[in-house]
Amino acid sequence: MAEIVADDPGVRRTLRAMTMEKGDLSSRAKRGAAGPKTKFEDYLDYREPLRRVPSHRFLAVMRGEGEGVLAVKVEAPDREVLDWLAGRFIRRRGLAQHAFLAEAVALAWERHLEPSLASELLAELKKRSDEEAIRVFAENLRHLLLAPPAAGRVVLGVDPGLRTGCKLAVVDATGTFMETATSHPPPPQARPGEAGRTVAAMAPPP
């Protein structure tokens, strides 16, 4: 009977949503992990609603678990879950079988549904947190790459090439792109004079 309850797709969807909405993420110091202070001190007695956990805190907690410092747990609203399950599967409370049915429902939650849904939710939060971390990293990298390479100076970049020539690009003192060109100072075309005039025109001396 517990397996019938646990295998119901509608039950899983409802309880998954309920746990995400009303459950908590918690972490404690792992048994036997006591020792010098670590970077996970803030998470040795930590608890926060699942739906509000920011990506950086979730990833920090999971790193702590991976390093054997923290014990991480999804804490579901157990009383509310059991009341909902009883309302769905136990139609008449006055039946002699009520205690037996209540035990089957509780077993379905504690042994089958809760561990499985906790794993699913942790995997979902990990995916979401990884995507957010990548987005933040990409945005920071974009700003870094768009920053002036040498503040207050015009910068000429050169991509050397023999057969196809040297590709040139210039940004001004604020890092704003100005122009590109191609020159051929080395053999086989060997036009150093022309290349010098191109460079001088693109990035004149201060």
Side-chain angles (χ1 to χ4, degrees), residues 43-54:
Y43 303 107
L44 297 181
D45 187 18
Y46 162 77
R47 185 185 185 100
E48 187 168 7
L50 271 173
R51 59 189 173 84
R52 291 211 300 264
V53 177

Side-chain angles (χ1 to χ4, degrees), residues 141-159:
L141 180 60
R142 188 178 76 86
H143 287 299
L144 181 63
L145 292 175
L146 291 175
R153 294 179 179 274
V154 176
V155 177
L156 170 67
V158 181
D159 178 18

Side-chain angles (χ1 to χ4, degrees), residues 28-38 40-41 44 64-65 67-71:
R28 301 286 184 272
K30 206 163 193 174
R31 185 176 299 175
K37 284 193 173 183
T38 72
F40 303 112
E41 288 299 306
L44 297 181
E65 183 181 53
E67 294 183 20
V69 178
L70 301 176

Side-chain angles (χ1 to χ4, degrees), residues 134-194:
I134 291 169
R135 187 195 66 77
V136 170
F137 178 81
E139 184 65 15
N140 291 340
L141 180 60
R142 188 178 76 86
H143 287 299
L144 181 63
L145 292 175
L146 291 175
R153 294 179 179 274
V154 176
V155 177
L156 170 67
V158 181
D159 178 18
L162 297 176
R163 185 177 59 83
T164 58
C166 298
K167 274 67 72 178
L168 312 173
V170 174
V171 295
D172 68 12
T174 66
T176 302
F177 168 74
M178 300 297 292
E179 60 177 320
T180 62
T182 302
S183 66
H184 301 271
Q189 301 194 40
R191 299 203 297 264
E194 179 184 303

Side-chain angles (χ1 to χ4, degrees), residues 9-25:
V11 168
R12 292 186 66 86
R13 281 195 301 271
T14 297
L15 297 187
R16 192 176 189 275
M18 188 183 297
T19 302
M20 175 59 89
E21 179 64 23
K22 300 182 178 180
D24 292 334
L25 179 72

Side-chain angles (χ1 to χ4, degrees), residues 16-94:
R16 192 176 189 275
M18 188 183 297
T19 302
M20 175 59 89
E21 179 64 23
K22 300 182 178 180
D24 292 334
L25 179 72
S26 70
S27 62
R28 301 286 184 272
K30 206 163 193 174
R31 185 176 299 175
K37 284 193 173 183
T38 72
K39 57 189 174 184
F40 303 112
E41 288 299 306
D42 292 342
Y43 303 107
L44 297 181
D45 187 18
Y46 162 77
R47 185 185 185 100
E48 187 168 7
L50 271 173
R51 59 189 173 84
R52 291 211 300 264
V53 177
S55 60
H56 67 277
R57 274 208 288 276
F58 178 81
L59 292 174
V61 165
M62 299 310 293
R63 280 196 300 273
E65 183 181 53
E67 294 183 20
V69 178
L70 301 176
V72 178
K73 184 180 179 184
V74 171
E75 299 191 18
D78 292 331
R79 187 67 266 160
E80 189 169 341
V81 165
L82 291 174
D83 287 345
W84 184 87
L85 285 170
R88 177 167 176 128
F89 290 100
I90 306 175
R91 302 299 184 188
R92 294 170 58 188
R93 299 298 181 96

